[in-house]
Amino acid sequence: MGDGSVKTGPAQQADELDVLIVGAGFSGLYQLDRLRDLGFKVKIFEAAPELGGTWYWNCYPGARVDSHCPVYQFAHKDLWRNFEFSELYPSWEEMRRYFQYVDEALGLSRDIVYNARVAAAHYDDEARRWTVTTEAGDTVRARYVSLCVGFTKPYFPPIEGLEGFAGPCHHTAEWPQEGLDFTGKRVGVIGTGASGVQIVQSAAPVAESLTVFQRTPIMCLPMPQRQLSSGDEAFQARLSESLASRDKCFGGFDFDFIEASYFDASPEDREALFERLWADGGFSFWLRTYPEVLMDETANRHAYTFWRDKIRTLIDDPQKRDLLAPMEPPHPFGVKRPSLQQTYWEAMNRDTVSIVNLRETPIERITDKAVVTAAGEHPLDVLVLATGSDAVTGAINDIDIRGTGEKTLKETWAQGVRTHLGVAVAGFPNLLFSYGPQAPTAFANGPSSAEYQGEHLVQLLKTLKDRGLDRIEATHEAEDSWNAMGKEIVNASLFPKADSWYMGANIPGKPREMLVFTGGLPLYLAQFQASADAGYSGFRLG
């Protein structure tokens, strides 16, 4: 792991890197190891002092994975054989232990420059090299740049007085590494997405009071958490099968939508399936159901009604019940990402927990000691911002990326994202993306995407090297085609009916568009393979 120092020597000496990878999460680490094995001169620049990507930054109380561990790990080099998770849904602490194991097994840190947040990447078309500069002023030149920066950038809402709050105030994605104790404190949480749910579960039992500022109720699903026994041979035996099935499933998990149609099923069969999926827990009720649930309003409304009635039986207070599981859906079920809960509803039943409906009484300002809404003042000792992220494009646009034209990449995307296969952009040669815009990304389990999309990118670079080529760029025609395909798929679904971060609708001024490919991982991989089989159609090679 990183020792906290800035390691610039190896990168500086390798002035003519073949590939510079930005980001040391699942995607970056997979590509680093694969490209090294293929003889590429490759390094990673990582902003954090350690590897792990999201699982370095996400260390707030209760933070844990909401994908079950059989698929939330590398299949690469059979790493799964020598690591055992202790829980079905691992905590952030265990994910750090896992990444340390991966680092030691593959010797990754020797080629990672830590504490190196990339500020700029400029392409020299004559030299056919990228010059990449960190915030500290260190530079490296590379033939190719692979951006593996993750798809989230913390979003801080423009609330008057936010910076003047006197107590601890932290975004869940920028939590202090030393931790924060909620015991006996008056805690406020703004936001009810995944991190908000996990914070509430942790804070409610120990806080003097907990105030949840809710704009939209979260459609939580049950997390079937359980402890795993060391040496469980039956569980270990199923891992290989689970990992091998991921590229055949829409979300990169080891399960998929059923083949039966909602409209061909009897009312009794529908209800029986919903009950079975609910009992299974996890994302089963979301992604193991009838495909029409995400495409047809009748099927979707049935799913919402089932969810609503389950939750309303768990909430004691009638006012809280109507806020948390309203009779009318705030948006179609599943078109905003569900969260997995363990004790969220139990927490909401506590007398010490109150809910502020921001749609009726919005936040007006924040003072040094309170959040002030249209209905009055809420005194607090600790303020948590579970306000989500500028997703998919935010982290990329933070970098000053300049290709062959006059516009930066951020300016190029100002009216909407354009890519080919979600990995390359016209006018920005030799720049590749992983787990980014117009790829499965948020609809694909992270490690699955890292390996399957990552392998396609590795093979692309290998092909260029084997053919003696040194330049690749998406064509405008391919961008148009990929954009049109993505729109056709999403417009046949219910996703555009919600103001979600999937649609970029949570960030003021951001174009409202589906930011990720919604056709599923198998279709995406088939499209990438078809391009490869046709000599990488849609790319201009030089």
Side-chain angles (χ1 to χ4, degrees):
M1 295 281 263
D3 60 9
S5 62
V6 180
K7 305 181 182 70
T8 58
Q12 292 279 15
Q13 293 167 12
D15 186 48
E16 297 300 322
L17 284 177
D18 294 320
V19 185
L20 176 69
I21 299 167
V22 183
F26 274 109
S27 293
L29 298 179
Y30 179 82
Q31 291 178 36
L32 172 62
D33 192 61
R34 286 287 290 119
L35 290 170
R36 286 193 317 193
D37 285 350
L38 292 172
F40 285 82
K41 290 185 285 187
V42 55
K43 300 286 181 184
I44 291 180
F45 274 6
E46 167 55 46
E50 299 180 4
L51 48 67
T54 293
W55 298 110
Y56 174 79
W57 303 108
N58 277 9
C59 60
Y60 57 84
R64 68 177 57 252
V65 180
D66 58 8
S67 299
H68 52 295
C69 68
V71 296
Y72 201 80
Q73 58 181 307
F74 283 124
H76 183 52
K77 293 186 175 178
D78 285 350
L79 288 165
W80 55 273
R81 293 187 184 277
N82 297 311
F83 186 90
E84 292 186 356
F85 286 97
S86 65
E87 295 178 302
L88 188 61
Y89 292 86
S91 67
W92 67 268
E93 295 97 333
E94 188 149 61
M95 288 309 303
R96 287 197 181 181
R97 183 170 68 87
Y98 173 75
F99 278 109
Q100 184 165 7
Y101 156 74
V102 170
D103 190 16
E104 292 171 354
L106 301 180
L108 299 173
S109 278
R110 72 173 184 268
D111 288 311
I112 302 175
V113 184
Y114 292 102
N115 297 306
R117 184 178 294 277
V118 170
H122 295 172
Y123 187 70
D124 182 336
D125 202 20
E126 184 176 347
R128 300 201 175 181
R129 295 290 186 277
W130 283 93
T131 298
V132 180
T133 307
T134 69
E135 289 183 351
D138 296 311
T139 64
V140 66
R141 280 161 47 93
R143 188 183 304 277
Y144 304 99
V145 171
S146 178
L147 291 180
C148 304
V149 295
F151 75 101
T152 59
K153 169 192 172 184
Y155 172 61
F156 292 84
I159 304 174
E160 178 185 343
L162 178 60
E163 295 181 356
F165 185 75
C169 177
H170 300 288
H171 195 288
T172 52
E174 293 186 351
W175 205 256
Q177 294 293 317
E178 66 274 14
L180 179 61
D181 187 5
F182 294 136
T183 304
K185 305 290 179 60
R186 297 172 298 176
V187 180
V189 180
I190 301 177
T192 53
S195 63
V197 167
Q198 293 177 338
I199 283 279
V200 165
Q201 292 177 159
S202 297
V206 300
E208 176 185 312
S209 65
L210 175 63
T211 304
V212 179
F213 297 91
Q214 172 184 286
R215 183 178 60 182
T216 306
I218 180 70
M219 296 182 191
C220 284
L221 300 173
M223 175 185 283
Q225 180 67 294
R226 64 183 175 91
Q227 299 298 304
L228 302 176
S229 301
S230 179
D232 186 336
E233 294 183 3
F235 183 82
Q236 287 295 110
R238 292 193 297 271
L239 283 178
S240 178
E241 183 179 341
S242 291
L243 289 165
S245 66
R246 295 173 303 165
D247 64 330
K248 303 172 184 64
C249 301
F250 177 91
F253 294 104
D254 52 358
F255 59 82
D256 209 345
F257 293 104
I258 65 172
E259 295 183 2
S261 168
Y262 173 87
F263 295 102
D264 291 340
S266 68
E268 294 78 16
D269 287 344
R270 296 167 187 163
E271 204 69 16
L273 176 66
F274 284 174
E275 287 286 358
R276 185 166 66 251
L277 296 176
W278 190 265
D280 287 345
F283 287 137
S284 291
F285 191 74
W286 184 33
L287 298 175
R288 207 172 191 169
T289 186
Y290 300 106
E292 291 95 340
V293 167
L294 295 179
M295 302 178 71
D296 179 86
E297 292 190 10
T298 299
N300 188 278
R301 182 58 184 259
H302 186 180
Y304 176 79
T305 300
F306 183 94
W307 174 88
R308 178 200 68 194
D309 292 348
K310 285 287 187 184
I311 302 309
R312 289 180 71 87
T313 64
L314 304 175
I315 308 301
D316 300 332
D317 182 275
Q319 290 183 319
K320 287 184 178 179
R321 190 182 303 142
D322 287 340
L323 284 172
L324 295 169
M327 295 302 294
E328 292 296 316
H331 53 76
F333 171 78
V335 299
K336 284 191 173 183
R337 192 178 191 276
S339 298
L340 302 187
Q341 67 83 33
Q342 293 174 273
T343 59
Y344 186 66
W345 310 120
E346 176 184 311
M348 287 301 188
N349 276 329
R350 291 176 176 268
D351 293 337
T352 54
V353 176
S354 59
I355 308 172
V356 177
N357 184 356
L358 296 183
R359 293 195 181 275
E360 292 185 358
T361 57
I363 295 174
E364 294 183 343
R365 65 185 183 281
I366 294 175
T367 69
D368 60 339
K369 298 179 180 178
V371 172
V372 181
T373 71
E377 190 172 282
H378 301 272
L380 300 171
D381 302 312
V382 178
L383 182 58
V384 178
L385 302 177
T387 49
S389 64
D390 181 354
V392 187
T393 56
I396 295 172
N397 285 337
D398 266 358
I399 303 172
D400 176 20
I401 301 174
R402 299 175 185 269
T404 57
E406 297 180 357
K407 293 182 178 179
T408 65
L409 183 60
K410 182 178 181 179
E411 291 167 340
T412 300
W413 284 349
Q415 303 304 315
V417 173
R418 310 285 288 186
T419 76
H420 178 41
L421 291 169
V423 299
V425 179
F428 295 84
N430 295 5
L431 179 69
L432 301 171
F433 305 94
S434 293
Y435 209 60
Q438 297 189 335
T441 310
F443 289 114
N445 172 44
S448 304
S449 180
E451 294 191 291
Y452 290 115
Q453 184 190 44
E455 186 59 29
H456 272 294
L457 292 173
V458 166
Q459 291 301 322
L460 185 156
L461 291 173
K462 180 179 184 298
T463 298
L464 292 172
K465 182 179 182 181
D466 291 347
R467 292 174 58 184
L469 302 173
D470 65 357
R471 194 180 193 277
I472 183 170
E473 180 182 353
T475 68
H476 289 293
E477 294 77 13
E479 289 183 334
D480 291 342
S481 177
W482 188 245
N483 198 53
M485 180 181 182
K487 284 184 176 180
E488 181 180 359
I489 293 171
V490 75
N491 287 339
S493 76
L494 299 175
F495 284 103
K497 292 185 177 294
D499 289 333
S500 66
W501 58 259
Y502 292 151
M503 300 293 298
N506 64 320
I507 304 299
K510 193 169 184 176
R512 194 181 191 281
E513 59 178 335
M514 174 52 74
L515 291 166
V516 291
F517 180 75
T518 57
L521 186 60
L523 177 59
Y524 173 80
L525 296 176
Q527 292 293 313
F528 210 138
Q529 187 61 53
S531 170
D533 292 343
Y536 289 104
S537 59
F539 297 98
R540 184 177 296 109
L541 309 182

